[in-house]
Every structure is written in structure tokens, then in C-alpha cells.
Amino acid sequence: MLQNQRVRMPRCCRGPQGLLPQYSDTQAEGQELLFKLTDNIQAEFFIAVEHIDSYCVVISSEAVYFLKNKDSVDRDAIFLEVKYDDLYHCLVSKDHGKVYVQLTKKAVNTASGVAIPGPSHQKPMVHVKSESLAVKLSQEINYAKSLFSEQHLMLRPFENEHSDL
């Protein structure tokens, strides 16, 4: 039996308006990374991937993952994972001439129940090689966070809504 060789990697992703974006090898590889990290959970969809010198960043609909670059990717490759439920915002930060992406996590004030930026240990920073890349990463992460928030505020139809028809 003759088997055809795969021409390109598969992907199943949505663009900003819910449409299928133009094919990209890098984005298809990013989606495969996400599926390996999440054991093929289809509810968490791929948004973007950025390869940086010694690590890569996978941005999904549920979280942002910072991974050590290595041949086999699994959960052990993650050196920082921030779920959007826990993320307040992402900023570009500079310190002593170096540029960082800073992910500010939420801290809940138990008296009022209001989420506010957390203390300094809740602001992990990851070094990025250029300011333009840090800005791009920050924008992508904040965009994914806003999509996440919108999805959770959206009214969903009831499961049995159509059973009466």
C-alpha cells in the first residue's frame, strides 16, 4: 500500500475574527507544541508562538507558557506558566539596559474581594532580547487575556434550550 507523505504540518486554529488565518509553518509547530503540553485538549486553542534565543513562548486561549528550548517538549519544559485567570496584565519593563516582559499576577484583597496587582514576588519577569519583541509579546499576551475575559463574560446557550422545539 502506498502512503502519501505529509506536505505540511496540520493545524486547527482560529484567527482574531474566528476565521482560519493564512498557513504558517511556525504557527503549525506552535499548535503542535500546545497539544503536547495539554495532552491534545481541544478546548484550549492556540493563538501564537514566539521563538526567542534560549526559550519559546506559547500563547493559548487559557494561559501563556514559557518553555525551555529542547528536543522533546512536555510539561517539564515549562519554566513559567501563567493562567489568564491569575494574570492582571503584561508589561514591558527595563532594568539596567535589559528588556523584560513582566507578567503581573492578581492578588485578591480578601476584605473587598477585588482583584488588584499582586506584590513584587507575583510579577515574574522574563528577559527578552529586544524592546520591539517585548512589545510584541506583551501585546499578544494582553490580547489573549482580553479574549479569555470576553469568552468568560459571554452568555452561553443552555444545553437543553433546543430540546423544547
Side-chain angles (χ1 to χ4, degrees), residues 68-82:
K68 296 177 250 176
N69 275 345
K70 60 181 194 177
D71 294 333
S72 64
V73 175
D74 55 17
R75 302 249 354 135
D76 294 336
I78 300 170
F79 67 87
L80 177 62
E81 175 181 355
V82 180

Side-chain angles (χ1 to χ4, degrees), residues 26 66 75 107 125 141 146 150:
T26 304
F66 290 81
R75 302 249 354 135
M125 294 183 1
I141 293 168
S146 69
E150 285 179 21

Side-chain angles (χ1 to χ4, degrees), residues 59-64 82-87 141 144-145 148:
I59 301 169
S60 79
S61 60
E62 301 290 323
V64 58
V82 180
K83 302 260 184 223
Y84 298 132
D85 262 341
D86 302 328
L87 183 66
I141 293 168
K145 160 85 172 130
F148 173 83

Side-chain angles (χ1 to χ4, degrees), residues 36-124:
K36 286 179 181 177
L37 293 173
T38 62
D39 294 326
N40 280 345
I41 295 174
Q42 301 293 316
E44 184 172 356
F45 65 89
F46 171 79
I47 294 178
V49 64
E50 294 295 337
H51 293 279
I52 301 163
D53 296 335
S54 61
Y55 64 94
C56 84
V57 182
V58 177
I59 301 169
S60 79
S61 60
E62 301 290 323
V64 58
Y65 304 93
F66 290 81
L67 311 168
K68 296 177 250 176
N69 275 345
K70 60 181 194 177
D71 294 333
S72 64
V73 175
D74 55 17
R75 302 249 354 135
D76 294 336
I78 300 170
F79 67 87
L80 177 62
E81 175 181 355
V82 180
K83 302 260 184 223
Y84 298 132
D85 262 341
D86 302 328
L87 183 66
Y88 188 71
H89 61 217
C90 181
L91 301 171
V92 175
S93 179
K94 294 181 190 176
D95 187 29
H96 294 78
K98 292 188 176 184
V99 182
Y100 299 89
V101 170
Q102 177 181 303
L103 296 119
T104 305
K105 293 183 177 183
K106 293 177 185 173
V108 177
N109 181 339
T110 54
S112 66
V114 176
I116 57 171
S120 60
H121 69 280
Q122 292 294 322
K123 296 180 183 181

